[in-house]
Amino acid sequence: MFLIECPWCGPRDESEFDCGGEAHIERPADPAELSDEAWADYLFMRTNPKGRHRERWVHACGCRRWFNIERDTVSHRITAVYRMGRKPPGRR
Amino acid sequence: MAEAYLRQGVLDHLHLDARAVREPGEARVALCERRFVGKVSLRGRPTKRFLAAVGQALGFEPPVAANTAAGKGGRAALWLGPDEWLVVTPPGSAGETAEALRAALKLQHCAVTEISDGRAVIGLSGARAREVLMKGCPLDLHARAFKAGHCAQSTLAKALVILHQTSDQPAYDIYVERSFADYLWAWLEDAAAEYGPAIVQG
């Protein structure tokens, strides 16, 4: 159980949130041009790092907004919270 | 809307009026159902123009600070998100409040929806009210962090609620979806049992 800093509501308990999986997966511009393998990779394959991971979360029991967090999958330490559409802090 | 004589409170089947005491006296926890509270969902980006129009319709501007409520003359606006408020009105006046908001916000991108019957309102007050809530709510309810005029969407005993602290007594209004009201009332009575709760008129 950890505290997540919702960008709108402030710090709230993890139980108020749902995780939406890995962040920053962009839909290919022209899916019809992709091979089945590349399309399957976009649809199903996700990284599973030990360490820093960027994820989408939604404040399901609060303001119901989506946002991104950067979390260490080992220590659960959250190193950044940033809104949808923004780049992860410290990276271009 | 149902004819007035047919209207029933969400918890009327519990016959709380038969158990209600006139004066809560020394009770450390008091519970009631606030029947027929009017509720209007208000959505729109909080531009100056939007806030001014809402202010004109309600007599006060909706709060833009997170987790706060503003109010005047029996009506209140509870902050629910960066573009969402719950406007609370006295019984029977949600319709006219919605009309006034729609008229003031004409030609602006917004949504005004009357949702009065969607949620029940349970009033919880008394010296130990905070302890009762703390048994089932993940919010930081310490008097330093959550005071009169604060509101929050969260969970109480796993039911989605909007919590509004109306006074530092402390007193809270708990807005819960209608189908969860019976469950939440039972949970509250159980959680408050050790403090000898009094049921009062809403």
PDB file of all heavy atoms in Angstrom, chain A residues 19-31:
ATOM      1  N   CYS A  19      -4.368   0.835 -11.786  1.00  0.00           N
ATOM      2  CA  CYS A  19      -3.215   0.956 -12.660  1.00  0.00           C
ATOM      3  C   CYS A  19      -3.616   0.565 -14.080  1.00  0.00           C
ATOM      4  O   CYS A  19      -4.304  -0.424 -14.284  1.00  0.00           O
ATOM      5  CB  CYS A  19      -2.091   0.054 -12.164  1.00  0.00           C
ATOM      6  SG  CYS A  19      -0.608   0.200 -13.173  1.00  0.00           S
ATOM      7  N   GLY A  20      -3.188   1.363 -15.049  1.00  0.00           N
ATOM      8  CA  GLY A  20      -3.542   1.110 -16.453  1.00  0.00           C
ATOM      9  C   GLY A  20      -2.384   0.588 -17.269  1.00  0.00           C
ATOM     10  O   GLY A  20      -2.402   0.671 -18.487  1.00  0.00           O
ATOM     11  N   GLY A  21      -1.364   0.076 -16.621  1.00  0.00           N
ATOM     12  CA  GLY A  21      -0.260  -0.532 -17.358  1.00  0.00           C
ATOM     13  C   GLY A  21       0.750   0.479 -17.856  1.00  0.00           C
ATOM     14  O   GLY A  21       0.703   1.666 -17.532  1.00  0.00           O
ATOM     15  N   GLU A  22       1.657  -0.022 -18.670  1.00  0.00           N
ATOM     16  CA  GLU A  22       2.793   0.783 -19.135  1.00  0.00           C
ATOM     17  C   GLU A  22       2.337   2.042 -19.876  1.00  0.00           C
ATOM     18  O   GLU A  22       1.389   2.000 -20.666  1.00  0.00           O
ATOM     19  CB  GLU A  22       3.665  -0.070 -20.060  1.00  0.00           C
ATOM     20  CG  GLU A  22       4.966   0.595 -20.443  1.00  0.00           C
ATOM     21  CD  GLU A  22       5.846  -0.320 -21.285  1.00  0.00           C
ATOM     22  OE1 GLU A  22       5.498  -1.497 -21.478  1.00  0.00           O
ATOM     23  OE2 GLU A  22       6.880   0.166 -21.759  1.00  0.00           O
ATOM     24  N   ALA A  23       3.041   3.128 -19.619  1.00  0.00           N
ATOM     25  CA  ALA A  23       2.703   4.408 -20.265  1.00  0.00           C
ATOM     26  C   ALA A  23       3.528   4.610 -21.527  1.00  0.00           C
ATOM     27  O   ALA A  23       4.497   3.883 -21.773  1.00  0.00           O
ATOM     28  CB  ALA A  23       2.957   5.550 -19.289  1.00  0.00           C
ATOM     29  N   HIS A  24       3.151   5.608 -22.296  1.00  0.00           N
ATOM     30  CA  HIS A  24       3.899   6.046 -23.481  1.00  0.00           C
ATOM     31  C   HIS A  24       3.997   4.980 -24.571  1.00  0.00           C
ATOM     32  O   HIS A  24       5.012   4.852 -25.240  1.00  0.00           O
ATOM     33  CB  HIS A  24       5.315   6.511 -23.093  1.00  0.00           C
ATOM     34  CG  HIS A  24       5.289   7.549 -22.011  1.00  0.00           C
ATOM     35  ND1 HIS A  24       4.657   8.752 -22.148  1.00  0.00           N
ATOM     36  CD2 HIS A  24       5.795   7.533 -20.755  1.00  0.00           C
ATOM     37  CE1 HIS A  24       4.781   9.439 -21.037  1.00  0.00           C
ATOM     38  NE2 HIS A  24       5.454   8.731 -20.171  1.00  0.00           N
ATOM     39  N   ILE A  25       2.951   4.200 -24.735  1.00  0.00           N
ATOM     40  CA  ILE A  25       2.909   3.288 -25.873  1.00  0.00           C
ATOM     41  C   ILE A  25       2.071   3.977 -26.942  1.00  0.00           C
ATOM     42  O   ILE A  25       0.880   4.225 -26.736  1.00  0.00           O
ATOM     43  CB  ILE A  25       2.296   1.938 -25.475  1.00  0.00           C
ATOM     44  CG1 ILE A  25       3.241   1.248 -24.507  1.00  0.00           C
ATOM     45  CG2 ILE A  25       2.041   1.087 -26.709  1.00  0.00           C
ATOM     46  CD1 ILE A  25       2.707  -0.010 -23.925  1.00  0.00           C
ATOM     47  N   GLU A  26       2.711   4.324 -28.029  1.00  0.00           N
ATOM     48  CA  GLU A  26       2.006   5.106 -29.050  1.00  0.00           C
ATOM     49  C   GLU A  26       1.398   4.197 -30.098  1.00  0.00           C
ATOM     50  O   GLU A  26       2.018   3.254 -30.568  1.00  0.00           O
ATOM     51  CB  GLU A  26       2.974   6.085 -29.705  1.00  0.00           C
ATOM     52  CG  GLU A  26       3.133   7.340 -28.878  1.00  0.00           C
ATOM     53  CD  GLU A  26       4.087   8.332 -29.498  1.00  0.00           C
ATOM     54  OE1 GLU A  26       4.090   8.445 -30.735  1.00  0.00           O
ATOM     55  OE2 GLU A  26       4.838   8.965 -28.732  1.00  0.00           O
ATOM     56  N   ARG A  27       0.188   4.524 -30.469  1.00  0.00           N
ATOM     57  CA  ARG A  27      -0.465   3.753 -31.521  1.00  0.00           C
ATOM     58  C   ARG A  27       0.256   4.035 -32.844  1.00  0.00           C
ATOM     59  O   ARG A  27       0.495   5.191 -33.183  1.00  0.00           O
ATOM     60  CB  ARG A  27      -1.929   4.185 -31.627  1.00  0.00           C
ATOM     61  CG  ARG A  27      -2.730   3.360 -32.601  1.00  0.00           C
ATOM     62  CD  ARG A  27      -4.148   3.897 -32.719  1.00  0.00           C
ATOM     63  NE  ARG A  27      -4.819   3.297 -33.863  1.00  0.00           N
ATOM     64  CZ  ARG A  27      -5.471   2.150 -33.838  1.00  0.00           C
ATOM     65  NH1 ARG A  27      -5.545   1.479 -32.706  1.00  0.00           N
ATOM     66  NH2 ARG A  27      -6.045   1.675 -34.923  1.00  0.00           N
ATOM     67  N   PRO A  28       0.597   2.994 -33.594  1.00  0.00           N
ATOM     68  CA  PRO A  28       1.270   3.221 -34.874  1.00  0.00           C
ATOM     69  C   PRO A  28       0.414   4.087 -35.786  1.00  0.00           C
ATOM     70  O   PRO A  28      -0.808   3.958 -35.797  1.00  0.00           O
ATOM     71  CB  PRO A  28       1.422   1.813 -35.448  1.00  0.00           C
ATOM     72  CG  PRO A  28       1.295   0.895 -34.286  1.00  0.00           C
ATOM     73  CD  PRO A  28       0.412   1.570 -33.302  1.00  0.00           C
ATOM     74  N   ALA A  29       1.075   4.965 -36.530  1.00  0.00           N
ATOM     75  CA  ALA A  29       0.334   5.917 -37.360  1.00  0.00           C
ATOM     76  C   ALA A  29      -0.488   5.198 -38.426  1.00  0.00           C
ATOM     77  O   ALA A  29      -1.613   5.594 -38.723  1.00  0.00           O
ATOM     78  CB  ALA A  29       1.309   6.896 -38.014  1.00  0.00           C
ATOM     79  N   ASP A  30       0.056   4.144 -38.981  1.00  0.00           N
ATOM     80  CA  ASP A  30      -0.657   3.446 -40.048  1.00  0.00           C
ATOM     81  C   ASP A  30      -0.670   1.940 -39.768  1.00  0.00           C
ATOM     82  O   ASP A  30       0.156   1.184 -40.304  1.00  0.00           O
ATOM     83  CB  ASP A  30       0.031   3.740 -41.386  1.00  0.00           C
ATOM     84  CG  ASP A  30      -0.863   3.347 -42.554  1.00  0.00           C
ATOM     85  OD1 ASP A  30      -1.924   2.719 -42.302  1.00  0.00           O
ATOM     86  OD2 ASP A  30      -0.499   3.652 -43.693  1.00  0.00           O
ATOM     87  N   PRO A  31      -1.609   1.478 -38.960  1.00  0.00           N
ATOM     88  CA  PRO A  31      -1.616   0.070 -38.556  1.00  0.00           C
ATOM     89  C   PRO A  31      -1.661  -0.885 -39.746  1.00  0.00           C
ATOM     90  O   PRO A  31      -1.098  -1.985 -39.682  1.00  0.00           O
ATOM     91  CB  PRO A  31      -2.890  -0.053 -37.722  1.00  0.00           C
ATOM     92  CG  PRO A  31      -3.186   1.322 -37.263  1.00  0.00           C
ATOM     93  CD  PRO A  31      -2.691   2.248 -38.333  1.00  0.00           C
TER      94      PRO A  31
END
